[in-house]
Amino acid sequence: MTQELDEAEERARLAAADLLAAANDLVRRRSVSWGNARDEVDFAELSRVGRYLPSRKLDDARAYVDSVIGVRAEIDAIVAARHTEPATEGESIRRLTAIADDCERRAISLRL
């Protein structure tokens, strides 16, 4: 069961990192203005029609950047508890899987 816990921990950490990357990318892209555009990719993003519409995703992305800190702390707490309470491995695996699923879902929603 320890290998399953290690795999669940790795998946949760990777999903949290992916969510952070997706959120930071969206914040960066939506923060580009005509005054600070650096290359043709930035100018292409600026000229998109939907760029001028309010973006709820931007608010979500900013919130996700902040929440990833808490997610990482929760993952660390679950892993630390494994050494003190080995009987809860099944519950830890379920919680890590739920964290990974949630982070993956949020990252996908930011990329759509």
Side-chain angles (χ1 to χ4, degrees), residues 71-99:
V71 168
R72 287 179 175 167
E74 185 176 359
I75 292 169
D76 291 340
I78 291 169
V79 172
R82 147 174 97 174
H83 300 295
T84 60
E85 302 171 28
T88 63
E89 277 195 26
E91 183 179 326
S92 296
I93 290 170
R94 282 190 294 281
R95 182 64 192 135
L96 289 169
T97 301
I99 290 170

Side-chain angles (χ1 to χ4, degrees), residues 9 13 21 28 35 39 41 65 74 79 81 89-90 99 106:
E9 175 192 356
R13 288 189 189 282
R28 187 201 64 78
D39 54 20
V41 175
V65 167
E74 185 176 359
V79 172
E89 277 195 26
I99 290 170
R106 289 177 178 192

Side-chain angles (χ1 to χ4, degrees), residues 5-108:
L5 183 60
D6 291 340
E7 290 171 358
E9 175 192 356
E10 181 180 6
R11 180 173 171 237
R13 288 189 189 282
L14 290 173
D18 184 46
L19 174 59
L20 182 61
N24 281 332
D25 182 56
L26 182 67
V27 169
R28 187 201 64 78
R29 284 188 294 121
R30 295 297 291 199
S31 299
V32 174
S33 68
W34 290 106
N36 65 5
R38 295 176 294 175
D39 54 20
E40 55 272 353
V41 175
D42 287 348
F43 287 112
E45 181 65 32
L46 285 171
S47 60
R48 290 180 57 190
V49 173
R51 167 106 174 123
Y52 300 101
L53 299 173
S55 174
R56 194 179 88 236
K57 283 185 182 182
L58 181 58
D59 295 335
D60 290 344
R62 288 182 176 140
Y64 295 162
V65 167
D66 294 336
S67 73
V68 167
I69 295 167
V71 168
R72 287 179 175 167
E74 185 176 359
I75 292 169
D76 291 340
I78 291 169
V79 172
R82 147 174 97 174
H83 300 295
T84 60
E85 302 171 28
T88 63
E89 277 195 26
E91 183 179 326
S92 296
I93 290 170
R94 282 190 294 281
R95 182 64 192 135
L96 289 169
T97 301
I99 290 170
D101 290 344
D102 186 49
C103 288
E104 289 169 353
R105 179 187 53 77
R106 289 177 178 192
I108 289 169

